[in-house]
Amino acid sequence: MAAVQTAPKRTEYLNFWNKYSDKPTHESMLLNNNAHELEESDRADVVAALPDYTGKDVADIGSGIGRFTTLFSQKARKVISTDFIESFVNKNKERNASAKNIEFVVSDAAGLELEDASMDLVFTNWLFMYLSDSECVDFTLKALRWLRPGGYFKLRESCSEPSTGRRKGNAVHATDAANPTHYRYKSLYLLLLTNARFQDADGKWFKFEVEWGTSIPTYITLANNWRQVHWLAKKVEIPAPVNGEISTQEALLNAFSTSWPAEQVAFDALVSGDHVSWTHKAITQIMAPQVSASLGATVLAYSPRVVDATAAVDTFALVDESTTTNFWTIELNPLAFRASNTKATEKRDQHQRFAWHANLQSAVTYLSVHNTGFDGFVGTELLSTATIDEVLSLKTVLNSKAQLLLLEPTSETTVNTDALKSAGFTIDLVEDVTTAAHDAINDQISQGTLKAKVAKGSLSASWTVIKATKP
Ligand SMILES: C[S@@+](CC[C@H](N)C(=O)[O-])C[C@H]1O[C@@H](n2cnc3c(N)ncnc32)[C@H](O)[C@@H]1O
């Protein structure tokens, strides 16, 4: 087992940022020489993902020269804006000299203390990358403590590689060695947020309900910086933890530092590289002709991966079939979210967006606020996992005449389409495709691109394609 990272690299991170202390500029904030071109659209991305903070108390931590402090001060009741580089705080003060509701603090986020239950929004943009594992865990638990119940923690980080990607020419630091930034797997922050629990002085337990995680908050934003990931988490009261749930800081740190990264590596080995989901083949054979013919320009894809990890809509295969279609894919599994999102990043595939949600209802709630309607829906395991209410709510994010294309596992010989019918969809096709699906799986197993034990659930299920239309 890898050693838990407990020794904070405090001095290294501080020295790194001190090098920019004489340059309190957008270039330093984005660590990018093209900041003048990127800053505005980057800020718009972040703003699109914020909860309403009108009349609220906001903490902007690691706020730099105040790119977001200014916005918060215009609507919030009070803003606490902190950074550990004094010249950045001074620049922030200068830019916001007329605002009367901002408290500026020079402080290291690692040792920061705010009053318990005093904030409605704790906001960080590119801070955790400069915190050690133990500091990330500590800060997350503190954010849970600082927030009032119902308050939000907004976290946004660069993941897996620098935001300047492989175009080193844009990075303001000369070499990778000069940059101590910690680019973690996208899944780790999600797992940290969803597993952090805190007990207050009255004995009440709280955790974060993560409303969503996504690389691009809105479908219409065509920024190509998918390494960036946003999460919005709400503080909610919960029952006391039960056996098996993480309830101590030590257990949280151990999972964040060791077990979750190992789980991600194992998952990636199953589905990355040559190892593709079996639906790559099956979807291409079974579903893709239908997709290119009828699903339209913007398609919502849904992959709960309950039967097994590789039973998923393979939008990579669908994009190959229909290069004019753009996909917004909902993943429910944090490890799959990371694997899919990273694959799209590596392929620089502009046709794909990935989001994580706890369930379909939460995805629909998010999409109805952040996106325009979709022309089509393609999903695995919709009818076998979603509630009737969720199927009904899907209609709100689909355009009129939108086509649904479902690949559904069935233990019985027929699939129950009642949920679709009661939601008003017209059923156009119900076809048993078990043989074609199993052939596709077995083909991949014999080619060595899929392990039989991984596709066990898919091989033991029967599969049905359903095509339906929204009125
Ligand atoms: C990439 S900049 C982002 C600044 C700002 N959040 C924005 O989006 O424009 C990262 C900022 O985090 C600050 N920072 C990094 N580690 C910190 C720490 N431990 N405590 C306080 N500030 C920190 C840096 O000084 C820098 O201003």
Side-chain angles (χ1 to χ4, degrees):
M1 214 158 68
V4 174
Q5 187 197 343
T6 48
K9 304 200 300 181
R10 243 344 53 235
T11 318
E12 202 181 333
Y13 289 132
L14 183 60
N15 289 346
F16 175 71
W17 279 103
N18 256 325
K19 280 190 287 184
Y20 301 99
S21 59
D22 61 342
K23 296 183 202 75
T25 59
H26 282 147
E27 280 67 25
S28 299
M29 295 300 97
L30 274 71
L31 292 177
N32 192 307
N33 288 325
N34 285 336
H36 52 284
E37 285 174 18
L38 306 170
E39 197 280 324
E40 203 176 328
S41 65
D42 175 79
R43 192 153 32 88
D45 244 9
V46 176
V47 170
L50 287 173
D52 184 16
Y53 50 86
T54 311
K56 307 278 188 185
D57 294 323
V58 178
D60 182 2
I61 319 268
S63 54
I65 63 170
R67 290 170 63 222
F68 298 99
T69 306
T70 310
L71 287 171
F72 292 138
S73 75
Q74 287 159 359
K75 287 206 269 169
R77 191 186 76 88
K78 190 181 170 198
V79 183
I80 296 180
S81 184
T82 82
D83 201 283
F84 66 176
I85 302 296
E86 192 170 3
S87 63
F88 292 172
V89 176
N90 288 340
K91 184 71 180 180
N92 191 351
K93 261 188 207 167
E94 185 189 311
R95 283 160 52 115
N96 292 295
S98 59
K100 300 284 174 262
N101 59 347
I102 309 173
E103 182 185 342
F104 296 97
V105 184
V106 180
S107 163
D108 193 318
L112 186 71
E113 278 304 341
L114 300 177
E115 233 179 86
D116 288 6
S118 63
M119 292 290 141
D120 301 297
L121 172 62
V122 172
F123 172 85
T124 63
N125 191 49
W126 296 322
L127 173 71
F128 275 34
M129 307 143 73
Y130 307 106
L131 299 181
S132 69
D133 287 356
S134 61
E135 289 165 347
C136 287
V137 167
D138 192 45
F139 189 98
T140 303
L141 291 170
K142 283 203 265 191
L144 203 42
R145 185 148 60 74
W146 297 336
L147 284 165
R148 301 186 173 109
Y152 283 96
F153 182 25
K154 169 71 179 59
L155 177 71
R156 191 261 199 134
E157 293 299 319
S158 287
C159 291
S160 307
E161 62 173 309
S163 60
T164 41
R166 297 169 199 91
R167 289 168 296 136
K168 297 286 182 252
N170 293 342
V172 297
H173 38 83
T175 63
D176 276 346
N179 180 356
T181 313
H182 197 148
Y183 300 105
R184 296 181 173 88
Y185 297 142
K186 299 167 180 84
S187 52
L188 293 186
Y189 293 119
L190 181 50
L191 290 164
L192 175 61
L193 289 171
T194 49
N195 284 285
R197 287 180 183 78
F198 154 75
Q199 189 177 28
D200 73 4
D202 298 331
K204 288 182 185 166
W205 282 90
F206 295 92
K207 76 189 293 279
F208 285 122
E209 193 177 271
V210 181
E211 297 196 346
W212 49 263
T214 180
S215 53
I216 311 276
T218 58
Y219 204 31
I220 38 179
T221 318
L222 280 178
N224 60 4
N225 213 342
W226 307 289
R227 296 160 211 94
Q228 306 297 326
V229 188
H230 302 249
W231 295 268
L232 187 68
K234 184 172 160 182
K235 175 175 174 174
V236 294
E237 192 176 343
I238 50 158
V242 295
N243 264 352
E245 287 181 332
I246 291 176
S247 60
T248 65
Q249 184 156 350
E250 189 192 2
L252 192 59
L253 174 59
N254 196 46
F256 187 65
S257 278
T258 61
S259 39
W260 295 334
E263 282 170 28
Q264 184 67 68
V265 169
F267 188 91
D268 288 353
L270 294 180
V271 296
S272 304
D274 289 341
H275 294 82
V276 291
S277 76
W278 69 264
T279 49
H280 176 90
K281 192 85 180 277
I283 276 184
T284 314
Q285 283 171 351
I286 301 164
M287 300 173 87
Q290 315 257 21
V291 174
S292 44
S294 58
L295 280 180
T298 56
V299 171
L300 182 59
Y302 180 61
S303 289
R305 299 181 194 250
V306 173
V307 163
D308 62 52
T310 63
V313 178
D314 191 335
T315 45
F316 296 94
L318 295 180
V319 163
D320 289 345
E321 290 299 308
S322 177
T323 50
T324 54
T325 303
N326 290 319
F327 291 90
W328 180 284
T329 301
I330 310 296
E331 294 276 8
L332 303 190
N333 176 329
L335 306 177
F337 168 63
R338 188 269 167 183
S340 303
N341 207 340
T342 302
K343 192 166 169 182
T345 305
E346 283 164 4
K347 287 173 85 97
R348 310 188 84 74
D349 188 342
Q350 283 284 2
H351 294 289
Q352 310 213 48
R353 305 284 184 256
F354 291 91
W356 174 91
H357 290 272
N359 50 52
L360 184 61
Q361 184 63 61
S362 145
V364 168
T365 305
Y366 178 86
L367 290 168
S368 45
V369 175
H370 289 88
N371 278 302
T372 51
F374 292 90
D375 302 324
F377 177 94
V378 54
T380 47
E381 304 179 77
L382 173 77
L383 301 177
S384 51
T385 59
T387 62
I388 291 192
D389 283 348
E390 283 180 316
V391 176
L392 196 62
S393 73
L394 244 193
K395 279 171 68 180
T396 58
V397 295
L398 297 179
N399 294 331
S400 150
K401 303 290 172 216
Q403 301 280 300
L404 262 75
L405 190 54
L406 310 179
L407 187 56
E408 209 59 46
T410 47
S411 48
E412 302 149 28
T413 42
T414 54
V415 64
N416 188 343
T417 55
D418 289 353
L420 283 177
K421 286 183 198 145
S422 64
F425 289 97
T426 313
I427 310 294
D428 305 315
L429 174 86
V430 177
E431 187 182 333
D432 185 323
V433 293
T434 308
T435 307
H438 288 184
D439 284 352
I441 298 171
N442 286 323
D443 266 8
Q444 279 186 249
I445 292 171
S446 59
Q447 285 162 24
T449 55
L450 187 61
K451 291 194 176 69
K453 66 173 188 209
V454 179
K456 215 165 139 195
S458 296
L459 266 177
S460 55
S462 300
W463 290 91
T464 301
V465 161
I466 297 133
K467 219 179 146 191
T469 309
K470 185 187 160 178

